[in-house]
Amino acid sequence: MRLAKGIKEVIRNPRKYMVTIVLGVLVILLGMFTIRSAGSRKELSYTECLDQTAVTVNGQKVTFREAALYVAYEEQSVQEQALVYDMDHTDKYWNLHIDGEFVRVAAKHTTQQMLIHDMIFYQMAMEENLELSEEENQAFENSFCDFWSDLTDEGKEEMLGVTEKEIHEAMHRMALAQKYQEIYAVIHEISKEDLAFNGEAYQELLADNKYKVNENVWDRLSFGNITLRHDD
């Protein structure tokens, strides 16, 4: 009875209860936003986002499936440093805060930048119809066999959810990108090191390209725990 009486009172005097009504609506909307935000921040396993866009470079979308090679490579590189820091508790290194940034966050950003870097040079290589020579292709195949062997020895390919063919294709794109980077360096009389993803000359080149990182998905990945398992 009290509820019905209260509703009638609100209907008769809406202005009197306007503030209460507005606050009530805001509380409901805030609750809906909080629930939705919590869902969007929920941690993802890498296999859940394979076909989502990782980065877009000059209008070309690159999926997380295509980015898996870079994730595996960077996690392993940082893990080698973590083993030196504390062999028995490698997660300690991943959680360090160095130069204003957590190691795992810095590794994620490095992965993104390496991917964008190689896609820019790969796109230029494709414009020139560049191919690997027989000798270069043999060196690439040897590198691929070594990398794939290391990946499968620890079951990392299953953690990533990718196939041998997909990693092979990604490494082939990387090899073409590296070859064109060397050619670009010669043409423009720049050292190859200056054209690395953190090099000054590359940063100038990057400014002439358009790229976008899908941070909404990257932020939901536990970088450092995608292909790695740490001791407690």
Side-chain angles (χ1 to χ4, degrees), residues 34-180:
T34 301
I35 292 172
R36 182 174 296 180
S37 296
S40 66
R41 290 195 300 269
K42 182 180 177 182
E43 190 173 292
L44 283 173
S45 68
Y46 201 83
T47 55
E48 292 180 279
C49 61
L50 288 173
D51 295 317
Q52 295 192 53
T53 301
V55 299
T56 303
V57 182
N58 296 321
Q60 182 178 350
K61 294 182 178 180
V62 183
T63 66
F64 280 94
R65 188 184 301 278
E66 295 167 308
L69 165 65
Y70 294 82
V71 172
Y73 176 84
E74 182 61 16
E75 282 201 334
Q76 184 54 43
S77 295
V78 177
Q79 181 69 352
E80 290 172 4
Q81 300 169 38
L83 287 167
V84 174
Y85 183 80
D86 190 330
M87 183 179 294
D88 297 321
H89 304 92
T90 52
D91 204 37
K92 288 183 178 180
Y93 183 79
W94 282 92
N95 291 324
L96 285 180
H97 199 258
I98 301 175
D99 295 331
E101 192 171 38
F102 286 104
V103 168
R104 64 178 68 252
V105 174
K108 179 186 70 174
H109 290 161
T110 295
T111 302
Q112 295 167 350
Q113 292 307 311
M114 287 193 302
L115 179 58
I116 292 169
H117 170 279
D118 283 4
M119 282 308 301
I120 288 174
F121 281 107
Y122 173 71
Q123 289 172 350
M124 290 193 287
M126 290 298 92
E127 290 175 1
E128 299 296 331
N129 296 315
L130 189 69
E131 295 181 357
L132 298 178
S133 67
E134 184 176 341
E135 183 179 351
E136 290 167 339
N137 193 64
Q138 185 58 56
F140 153 68
E141 291 292 350
N142 291 338
S143 296
F144 166 73
C145 288
D146 290 341
F147 186 84
W148 181 251
S149 178
D150 291 341
L151 207 64
T152 54
D153 278 349
E154 300 177 29
K156 292 182 178 180
E157 84 286 3
E158 295 179 0
M159 299 177 194
L160 290 166
V162 292
T163 64
E164 181 177 0
K165 180 182 178 181
E166 288 164 344
I167 293 295
H168 187 275
E169 290 174 348
M171 284 194 72
H172 188 256
R173 288 191 293 271
M174 178 188 283
L176 285 170
Q178 291 174 348
K179 180 173 181 176
Y180 195 81

Side-chain angles (χ1 to χ4, degrees), residues 191-207:
S191 72
K192 182 182 176 182
E193 290 69 28
D194 281 344
L195 286 173
F197 76 92
N198 55 354
E200 184 177 344
Y202 168 70
Q203 292 304 314
E204 294 177 4
L205 174 63
L206 179 62

